[in-house]
Amino acid sequence: MSDSQTINRLTMNPKEMVVGAQMLFVAFGALVLVPLLTGLNPNVALFTAGAGTLLFQWLTRRQVPVFLASSFAFIAPIIAGVQQWGIPETMCGLLAAGLFYVFLSGVVKLRGPEVVAKVFPPVVTGPVIMVIGLILAPVAVHMAMGRSGDGAFVLVPEGQAVVLSAVALILTLLATLFGRGMIKLVPILCGLGAGYLVGLLMGIVDFSPVQAAPWFAIPDFVAPRWSLEAVLFMLPVAIAPAIEHFGDVLAIGSVTGKNYLKNPGIHRTLLGDGLATSLAALLGGPPNTTYSEVTGAVALTRMFNPMIMTWAAITAIFLAFVGKVGALLQTVPVPVMGGIMLLLFGAIAVVGLNSLVRSGEDLMEPRNMIIVSLTVVSGIGGMQFQLGSFSLQGIGLAGVVAVVLNLVLPKVSRDKS
């Protein structure tokens, strides 16, 4: 029997089951943070992460040891979408985003990955990512100060809220900067845990929802509802994470010493990512993406068998049906999440800025300056395009502006005297 056949064979190996559960623990903090921040159901997120990972494994012939779960790139767009249209309409936009991945996988299969880089260069993706991080920065500040995301209601007294958010943020930073081994892989979980503990000591954690929740409960799935505005809003958001998928696949390949771009092929991994995101949207869960922290855990443990991710996925699906898990997660105080959001939204903006810097493009070159400046200002400045009942604004408008300008503006050489 070949090595690949051995790897792909499902076995009840206790060691693999335990390591798989550990991989879920590594992903757990980030996995559940996205639904907690966006108002989605954490049990649904657990289920769609597990189901999406299994779907990805099937499409890639169970060759790539990655775990798929809630994508941070969509946090701000989901919050904005839920506030503007509601969860079902936002799911429609996320379903379209997943199908956009599928479209890109077909393009990559037919034309090669280079064509994607030409249409969506860093001068397009960079400013769009920056807008994603910056547009809802006020939401993070409001929550860190103990208010609702729109600032309309005080949920926790400001003095207590500042302490909670500061503890969560500082512990996350310390774990990121000085953590070793498993601690470095779960900085968000460390921050959440520390903030939650302080909230317990302050007496502001309410356990009544946990007591009322059943042990077994079917996750609260939500079906999408058609909304063209939500579709056009979410499609530009999908550009950056779809392109970053290439880097994720290269990263796990460097850890395992295998070329996944060729086998099973980047078009297959992108297809798996896209269909996993679409599946999540059909059920009311956040979009899926490959988790770099799990890749780090694979490098740390040297456990390369993709079957480990199968057991991580099965564990996630099992926990999704434990009603008290979701109820417990929803008792996390708002300022704790706000403190972590301060870092996350800023970090997303930095990722966009870094992509521009690493590309080596001269941002003072008139064409690049026009694209970046108009994309950022139109995205975060409140500009709105209205046509009847249809409107385009925020992230969606920024994405459209960036893509259109990149396509229509001529590339003029500066070597003119």
Side-chain angles (χ1 to χ4, degrees):
M1 183 178 292
S2 67
D3 291 340
S4 61
Q5 288 175 316
T6 301
I7 288 176
N8 291 330
R9 182 162 50 88
L10 180 62
T11 59
M12 295 291 289
N13 186 317
K15 181 179 180 181
E16 290 179 357
M17 295 170 70
V18 171
V19 175
Q22 176 181 274
M23 292 298 177
L24 177 61
F25 170 78
V26 170
F28 195 82
L31 191 167
V32 300
L33 182 65
V34 175
L36 291 178
L37 295 179
T38 57
L40 303 183
N41 188 291
N43 286 67
V44 174
L46 279 165
F47 182 88
T48 55
T53 299
L54 294 179
L55 177 60
F56 178 90
Q57 287 193 322
W58 178 67
L59 290 168
T60 59
R61 302 164 183 165
R62 198 178 286 142
Q63 295 185 41
V64 190
V66 297
F67 185 81
L68 276 67
S70 312
S71 171
F72 276 26
F74 287 87
I75 292 177
I78 293 175
I79 293 175
V82 170
Q83 290 177 347
Q84 189 166 354
W85 302 294
I87 292 178
E89 289 79 6
T90 301
M91 289 301 116
C92 178
L94 295 175
L95 175 61
L99 295 178
F100 177 72
Y101 286 24
V102 175
F103 168 75
L104 284 184
S105 73
V107 172
V108 171
K109 173 68 174 177
L110 294 174
R111 303 291 297 274
E114 299 80 12
V115 67
V116 177
K118 290 180 180 179
V119 178
F120 304 114
V123 74
V124 168
T125 60
V128 171
I129 297 172
M130 291 172 63
V131 170
I132 291 172
L134 294 175
I135 195 169
L136 286 183
V139 174
V141 174
H142 285 315
M143 293 177 67
M145 300 298 289
R147 300 186 289 267
S148 57
D150 59 1
F153 303 100
V154 175
L155 304 175
V156 177
E158 186 172 306
Q160 291 179 319
V162 170
V163 173
L164 284 174
S165 58
V167 168
L169 176 60
I170 292 171
L171 263 294
T172 301
L173 295 176
L174 290 176
T176 301
L177 294 172
F178 305 111
R180 295 290 182 269
M182 289 297 296
I183 296 297
K184 192 173 183 63
L185 298 174
V186 289
I188 292 174
L189 199 60
C190 293
L192 278 174
Y196 194 86
L197 179 60
V198 174
L200 284 174
L201 297 175
M202 288 182 173
I204 62 174
V205 178
D206 180 14
F207 283 113
S208 57
V210 181
Q211 296 171 346
W215 279 104
F216 174 82
I218 296 176
D220 188 16
F221 298 119
V222 178
R225 183 183 300 140
W226 171 251
S227 170
L228 178 60
E229 292 182 31
V231 169
L232 294 179
F233 176 78
M234 285 296 178
L235 281 179
V237 181
I239 295 172
I243 294 175
E244 289 172 4
H245 175 87
F246 290 74
D248 294 336
V249 174
L250 286 171
I252 188 63
S254 67
V255 170
T256 62
K258 295 183 178 180
N259 187 351
Y260 297 121
L261 298 182
K262 291 186 176 180
N263 188 23
I266 190 64
H267 63 285
R268 280 186 174 273
T269 62
L270 190 56
L271 176 65
D273 202 338
L275 289 181
T277 290
S278 297
L279 174 63
L282 286 171
L283 298 174
N288 282 317
T289 188
T290 49
Y291 263 27
S292 57
E293 50 263 67
V294 175
T295 297
V298 170
L300 184 67
T301 61
R302 311 301 294 175
M303 300 291 288
F304 300 149
N305 190 342
M307 186 55 59
I308 291 170
M309 302 306 167
T310 302
W311 288 116
I314 291 172
T315 305
I317 293 173
F318 170 78
L319 289 177
F321 289 91
V322 181
K324 289 189 182 296
V325 170
L328 179 63
L329 292 172
Q330 290 173 340
T331 63
V332 178
V334 165
V336 173
M337 296 186 289
I340 294 174
M341 285 173 72
L342 292 174
L343 176 63
L344 290 183
F345 285 172
I348 293 172
V350 171
V351 168
L353 180 61
N354 188 53
S355 69
L356 286 172
V357 173
R358 292 182 61 184
S359 70
E361 296 282 356
D362 181 5
L363 297 184
M364 296 309 295
E365 191 273 325
R367 182 179 186 275
N368 293 335
M369 183 173 62
I370 291 171
I371 295 174
V372 174
S373 59
L374 290 181
T375 298
V376 173
V377 172
S378 63
I380 66 176
M383 185 178 292
Q384 182 176 4
F385 172 78
Q386 188 83 31
L387 184 61
S389 61
F390 169 77
S391 65
L392 188 64
Q393 59 186 326
I395 299 165
L397 180 60
V400 171
V401 168
V403 172
V404 171
L405 288 178
N406 179 62
L407 292 176
V408 302
L409 292 180
K411 294 184 178 180
V412 181
S413 173
R414 299 188 68 181
D415 298 331
K416 291 183 179 181
S417 56

